[in-house]
Amino acid sequence: MLSDAWAFLVIREAFFGAKRFEEFRSGLEITRATLTDRLRRLVHEGIMREFPYSSTLSRVEYKLTKAGIELYPMFMSMMQFGDRWLETSKSGPLQLIHESCNCVSKPIVTCSCCEQRFSARDVSYVDGPGAGRIPAEAPRRSRRTADDFMRGRPSSVSRTLEVIGDRWSFLILREAFYGHTRFDQVHSELGIATNILTDRLARLVDHGVFRKEMYQDAPERYEYLLTPMGADLHGPLLMIMAWGDRWRSQGRPPMLLRHDACEKIFTPVVVCNRCGEAISAFSMKYRMRYNPEKFGGRKSSRAVPGRI
């Protein structure tokens, strides 16, 4: 769902308060046909719902469902990654304020059991009730360009999705966290065409997610190791997993997470780095660090139903 740039952008504008068709269209400069298609898909996927707002005309507003609103912590984890690694300025496009403690907040991902921050090295993977294997299907061909996620307003989430939003890149990154660092290992696990795998690995190296290290010189063979930047994607990927487990696994998550420090099975949670309270779309405010007149909206606002 998030690998489709237009679907993501529509969700993002909903977090900024867009509800009506023309609000989405003017904010994104999207064609009517494309917007109609993405709104229909998001309603079908249970991310948005239609609400009539005119008794005389069949016009509707599009509002986020509970499943849609619960994308917010995931987006926050991607926003923090984008702010740390991908923003060219010293600060990101938005400054977040956690209303509960009234502090400027930089949300972090923590263990739900011991409430401590963790890294990829601190987590073990355990088969869940839905564990198994399915063949990877080739994604539909798309004319998407690298900057499609960057349409409209500035967004650190968009910058993060430029790196991991491509389906194959996401799966390759997932394999890296499983410990599969060599070309043949990833190729065997995913059944991906060699030319596509070569291309995506080169992109991830260019983005700074992987570094190449030779392990054999006759012939030359390389393994692809996570950089500190790449390792920092662990939190956003686990938040994507947590959302999928809640809303797409029918109660049978494929994989469980064990925090080695507390030795418990846990769920990743995004919390305020100042007070430690779990954040939600309803507890955050933001200040824009860019001119909002170019994109609509005010310079600051309460995040209801969650604004990023």
Side-chain angles (χ1 to χ4, degrees):
M1 182 175 59
L2 294 179
S3 67
D4 180 86
W6 283 125
F8 158 72
L9 292 169
V10 169
I11 296 169
R12 186 191 69 188
E13 292 307 302
F15 277 121
F16 275 108
K19 297 177 182 178
R20 299 184 179 182
F21 189 95
E22 290 302 324
E23 291 173 334
F24 290 108
R25 196 173 74 86
S26 61
L28 296 174
E29 297 183 351
I30 181 174
T31 66
R32 288 183 175 276
T34 301
L35 179 55
T36 298
D37 176 73
R38 295 314 191 273
L39 287 170
R40 185 182 297 118
R41 286 192 204 177
L42 291 170
V43 169
H44 176 74
E45 292 289 342
I47 305 301
M48 305 184 90
R49 291 180 61 189
E50 296 179 342
F51 292 88
Y53 68 87
S54 171
S55 58
T56 56
L57 299 172
S58 49
R59 294 182 177 178
V60 296
E61 291 182 335
Y62 296 88
K63 298 181 182 180
L64 292 165
T65 62
K66 185 176 181 180
I69 291 172
E70 289 192 5
L71 286 167
Y72 189 82
M74 178 207 304
F75 279 25
M76 288 296 97
S77 66
M78 289 193 283
M79 175 181 165
Q80 297 308 307
F81 174 86
D83 284 349
R84 280 192 295 271
W85 297 99
L86 304 174
E87 282 296 329
T88 54
S89 62
K90 292 184 180 180
S91 57
L94 298 179
Q95 182 183 64
L96 300 173
I97 298 94
H98 187 213
E99 192 171 47
S100 297
C101 62
N102 200 32
C103 293
V104 173
S105 179
K106 294 183 178 181
I108 57 175
V109 183
T110 64
C111 168
S112 60
C113 295
C114 66
E115 300 181 349
Q116 297 300 307
R117 197 169 185 175
F118 57 85
S119 70
R121 296 178 182 273
D122 304 324
V123 176
S124 302
Y125 308 118
V126 181
D127 282 350
R133 298 180 69 88
I134 58 172
E137 298 178 1
R140 295 182 303 173
R141 292 187 177 183
S142 172
R143 298 179 184 176
R144 197 188 77 198
T145 59
D147 62 351
D148 277 354
F149 285 108
M150 298 306 298
R151 292 175 183 267
R153 67 183 75 243
S155 169
S156 296
V157 184
S158 296
R159 292 192 184 279
T160 302
L161 285 173
E162 281 188 296
V163 177
I164 66 171
D166 170 82
R167 182 184 177 190
W168 284 125
S169 297
F170 177 88
L171 292 174
I172 292 166
L173 184 62
R174 182 194 69 182
E175 292 304 311
F177 284 113
Y178 288 154
H180 300 145
T181 61
R182 298 183 178 182
F183 188 99
D184 290 344
Q185 289 176 318
V186 179
H187 178 260
S188 175
E189 289 294 327
L190 297 182
I192 182 175
T194 55
N195 63 317
I196 296 177
L197 179 55
T198 299
D199 174 74
R200 297 309 192 276
L201 285 170
R203 289 189 199 179
L204 290 167
V205 170
D206 289 343
H207 278 300
V209 173
F210 289 143
R211 61 180 175 86
K212 290 174 65 175
E213 186 170 296
M214 185 183 293
Y215 68 89
Q216 176 181 306
D217 58 5
E220 290 186 359
R221 293 286 187 271
Y222 295 88
E223 57 184 349
Y224 296 83
L225 305 175
L226 289 163
T227 64
M229 172 184 169
D232 201 30
L233 280 165
H234 190 245
L237 262 65
L238 290 191
M239 292 309 302
I240 294 172
M241 169 186 158
W243 187 91
D245 287 348
R246 176 166 171 76
W247 294 102
R248 292 292 186 269
S249 71
Q250 290 78 49
R252 293 175 54 82
M255 186 172 70
L256 305 177
L257 304 172
R258 177 183 287 119
H259 186 198
D260 295 339
C262 67
E263 300 183 340
K264 293 182 179 179
I265 300 297
F266 76 100
T267 301
V269 181
V270 176
V271 304
C272 171
N273 69 316
R274 300 296 295 273
C275 68
E277 181 181 308
I279 68 165
S280 73
F282 300 96
S283 65
M284 302 295 287
K285 297 179 181 178
Y286 65 82
R287 296 190 186 102
M288 295 179 180
R289 291 187 172 121
Y290 57 88
N291 182 2
E293 294 180 359
K294 295 181 179 179
F295 312 99
R298 296 161 290 186
K299 290 187 178 180
S300 64
S301 179
R302 179 188 301 274
V304 176
R307 302 191 178 199
I308 53 170

